[in-house]
Amino acid sequence: MERFKNAQPVVQWCMNSLKNLGKYATPIGIILYSEIGSSIVTSVASTIKSVLGRLFMSRAFLTSKDEAFHWIMLWISENEYSSRANHFSVLTSKTYFDFSTHFFNMSPSEKDKNKIPVKFVPSPGTHIVKFEGKYLIVKYSKQSGGSNNSESDDQLIISTIGYQPYFLRAFITHCQETYVKSKHGKTLIYVPDIYCDNWEPRICRNKRDPSTVVLKSDLYEGIKTDAQEFLANQSWYHRHGIPFRRGYLLHGPPGTGKSSAVVALAGDLDMNICMVNLTAKSLSDEKLSGLLLSTPYNSIILLEDIDHAIEHTAKASANHKSIPEDVNDNDDLSDIMSSPISLAGLLNCIDGVIAQEGRLVFMTTNSPHKLPEALVRPGRVDVKHLVDYSDEEQCRKMFVNFYGEESQEQASRFVSALKKVSLAGPLGHVGTGSIVDKKITTAQLQGHFLIYKDKAEEAIRNADRLFV
């Protein structure tokens, strides 16, 4: 009742405005009406419409920058209305894969390698859909937004009759549950859009089985246990005044499984991944801060090859200070002046006052000695792990993973074959019989086994080809 009492003055003004129109029923009034009457009537009608809308309707406003937008669009794309709408949009771009889950649930035999997955959704405009026996008015529009006004910013306005918002909230909750269910068993990988303004869900992949990531001894389990303990102790961190953040540095030779471990961990913890290319030309300190502050819920932040980003930043900074004298106005300065982010900006994003809490940050590098101490100090990097070349146990486990549990004896023979391979050391000496000294990566082992997928014996006989 309070809502109606507050609206009485506005309604009364509308009624008085309509009554006053009678004063202009003279020739002069007709002339005046022809000039301003139309705008008065339009204004009164608009006011009445607005008042009635607020009194008797509930509305929800969403933009594509919000995750809830994708929940609603997924529901609409899979609703019966979309299949029979005569005004529709055709979505084939990877950017919009999130509205289409059917393709990712198909078996490989059902997919046609020559066809791009297509999804039909209602076109921009006003649509009426039905949910639990009641009607919803969905207004879908595209507005100019983003850097350089080049990025489309989609918007949804959802309305329903009834000033109580319970039904509309129940609809949004249902869409969220549908979205979560569609992503069950999947890991979403987000990347920044082309202007580095917002996150885009770019890849949807099946969760990786941790058993397929073969690291030394209990390295993976140690990382997983640490992450789980961190996520379960938010109140402890707050009670002790410690920022609720956890940083990890995985370092070691390329191809040893650093990034694969993060992907498997994300699936194990039922989290998604946000990947940032710190050398992207569109990235800046301000945009990086904005991205990390708006990280999608329940996501791991992954900064790959952080040493290359640091080198690029340092080089760009040095070049910026010393532009060659022979450069003229027609020369391309993009490589010289390009300085995506500064080291200070990166440090502030990871562990500054504005740094987001409740997140896991993983950095990978092949050259940890190139990283500045300020970046890897406790508080920014809390856990460091060496992901090194494969040892005997890793070689044996990977062999069994590819050829089955019954290949245990063959796996031992494969390890023995690797040990017998003689490799010249850096000073010309023959390498020892240690597998680690052979410097075999898990990526090399996987490539070898892929060549002999169903031929375990051939994989053993040709073990020396790993070093070719």
Side-chain angles (χ1 to χ4, degrees):
M1 292 302 295
E2 187 67 27
R3 291 170 61 94
F4 291 99
K5 289 180 181 180
N6 295 337
Q8 284 180 355
V10 179
V11 174
Q12 186 62 45
W13 177 84
C14 295
M15 297 303 296
N16 291 338
S17 298
L18 290 173
K19 290 179 181 178
N20 290 335
L21 290 177
K23 296 179 180 180
Y24 301 101
T26 63
I28 296 177
I30 293 173
I31 295 174
L32 291 173
Y33 177 78
S34 65
E35 298 294 333
I36 64 174
S38 178
S39 63
I40 293 175
V41 171
T42 301
S43 176
V44 171
S46 177
T47 303
I48 293 175
K49 179 181 178 182
S50 176
V51 171
L52 293 177
R54 288 187 175 275
L55 288 175
F56 302 109
M57 298 192 76
S58 298
R59 287 192 179 94
F61 298 82
L62 306 99
T63 69
S64 54
K65 296 178 181 179
D66 193 285
E67 281 193 82
F69 176 90
H70 299 277
W71 308 343
I72 308 298
M73 287 301 293
L74 173 63
W75 185 88
I76 292 175
S77 69
E78 298 189 347
N79 184 267
E80 181 186 356
Y81 176 82
S82 293
S83 63
R84 53 185 175 82
N86 58 348
H87 290 184
F88 55 87
S89 296
V90 180
L91 303 181
T92 58
S93 171
K94 291 181 180 179
T95 302
Y96 297 104
F97 85 90
D98 216 22
F99 304 154
S100 176
T101 58
H102 173 67
F103 180 77
F104 296 99
N105 293 328
M106 294 166 61
S107 65
S109 60
E110 294 178 294
K111 296 179 182 179
D112 187 335
K113 64 181 180 181
N114 297 315
K115 288 185 178 180
I116 299 174
V118 177
K119 197 69 175 179
F120 302 104
V121 298
S123 63
T126 301
H127 306 272
I128 299 177
V129 297
K130 200 171 184 179
F131 172 68
E132 293 186 352
K134 297 182 180 180
Y135 289 98
L136 295 166
I137 301 173
V138 179
K139 185 177 180 180
Y140 175 33
S141 61
K142 290 180 176 290
Q143 298 180 351
S144 178
S147 299
N148 302 323
N149 292 323
S150 300
E151 183 190 0
S152 175
D153 185 18
D154 297 0
Q155 184 183 65
L156 285 176
I157 301 177
I158 307 169
S159 308
T160 184
I161 297 175
Y163 74 88
Q164 293 289 358
Y166 306 128
F167 177 72
L168 201 53
R169 290 176 181 175
F171 167 69
I172 294 174
T173 301
H174 172 78
C175 292
Q176 180 188 27
E177 292 171 351
T178 302
Y179 181 88
V180 172
K181 184 178 179 180
S182 72
K183 298 296 179 280
H184 180 69
K186 310 285 184 181
T187 297
L188 275 178
I189 299 179
Y190 292 84
V191 297
D193 61 28
I194 190 173
Y195 301 107
C196 295
D197 289 329
N198 305 296
W199 292 104
E200 285 184 350
R202 190 64 61 84
I203 301 172
C204 182
R205 59 189 300 174
N206 291 324
K207 291 181 178 179
R208 180 157 185 174
D209 187 345
S211 66
T212 64
V213 180
V214 182
L215 303 181
K216 285 187 178 180
S217 60
D218 297 325
L219 179 56
Y220 176 81
E221 286 300 323
I223 297 173
K224 175 185 172 182
T225 300
D226 184 87
Q228 288 176 324
E229 183 179 343
F230 163 76
L231 295 172
N233 283 281
Q234 181 175 0
S235 59
W236 185 91
Y237 276 79
H238 290 168
R239 190 164 59 250
H240 289 78
I242 303 173
F244 186 52
R245 296 186 286 267
R246 196 73 169 164
Y248 299 81
L249 177 67
L250 303 183
H251 60 94
T256 52
K258 298 182 291 294
S259 297
S260 297
V262 178
V263 173
L265 180 68
D268 230 356
L269 300 179
D270 200 22
M271 301 178 73
N272 297 316
I273 298 174
C274 291
M275 293 181 60
V276 186
N277 177 13
L278 296 177
T279 61
K281 289 189 177 181
S282 298
L283 196 61
S284 65
D285 290 346
E286 182 181 356
K287 289 188 175 184
L288 178 61
S289 176
L291 285 171
L292 297 189
L293 282 173
S294 61
T295 303
Y297 174 72
N298 200 38
S299 296
I300 292 173
I301 297 174
L302 175 59
L303 307 176
E304 289 189 297
D305 298 321
I306 189 72
D307 52 315
H308 293 304
I310 296 297
E311 282 184 346
H312 183 82
T313 300
K315 180 180 178 181
S317 178
N319 287 340
H320 187 276
K321 294 178 181 177
S322 56
I323 299 177
E325 295 180 359
D326 58 345
V327 173
N328 57 53
D329 294 339
N330 296 322
D331 288 336
D332 183 7
L333 301 181
S334 59
D335 293 332
I336 298 175
M337 301 295 290
S338 174
S339 180
I341 59 170
S342 65
L343 178 59
L346 175 61
L347 297 180
N348 286 331
C349 290
I350 294 176
D351 189 37
V353 175
I354 61 173
Q356 188 186 52
E357 294 200 356
R359 70 187 186 192
L360 299 174
V361 178
F362 277 83
M363 293 182 278
T364 67
T365 177
N366 301 330
S367 308
H369 60 279
K370 294 182 180 180
L371 302 180
E373 287 295 326
L375 178 63
V376 297
R377 70 159 175 79
R380 292 186 178 126
V381 172
D382 305 289
V383 181
K384 301 176 185 178
H385 284 295
L386 170 63
V387 185
D388 207 351
Y389 292 110
S390 302
D391 59 14
E392 292 185 24
E393 188 60 25
Q394 283 177 277
C395 294
R396 186 177 288 105
K397 283 184 178 179
M398 286 198 67
F399 191 98
V400 172
N401 280 352
F402 270 83
Y403 301 109
E405 288 296 329
E406 64 278 5
S407 64
Q408 294 284 355
E409 184 271 333
Q410 290 174 305
S412 296
R413 287 197 286 119
F414 176 70
V415 170
S416 297
L418 290 177
K419 287 182 178 181
K420 293 177 182 178
V421 177
S422 297
L423 294 177
L427 300 178
H429 301 295
V430 175
T432 68
S434 171
I435 293 292
V436 176
D437 288 343
K438 312 294 186 182
K439 296 185 176 181
I440 307 171
T441 67
T442 52
Q444 286 177 291
L445 288 170
Q446 178 176 287
H448 182 73
F449 297 144
L450 285 174
I451 296 174
Y452 307 102
K453 288 188 287 290
D454 303 313
K455 304 170 183 177
E457 288 298 329
E458 287 193 34
I460 297 171
R461 284 197 299 272
N462 295 293
D464 59 328
R465 293 192 177 183
L466 274 164
F467 309 101
V468 175

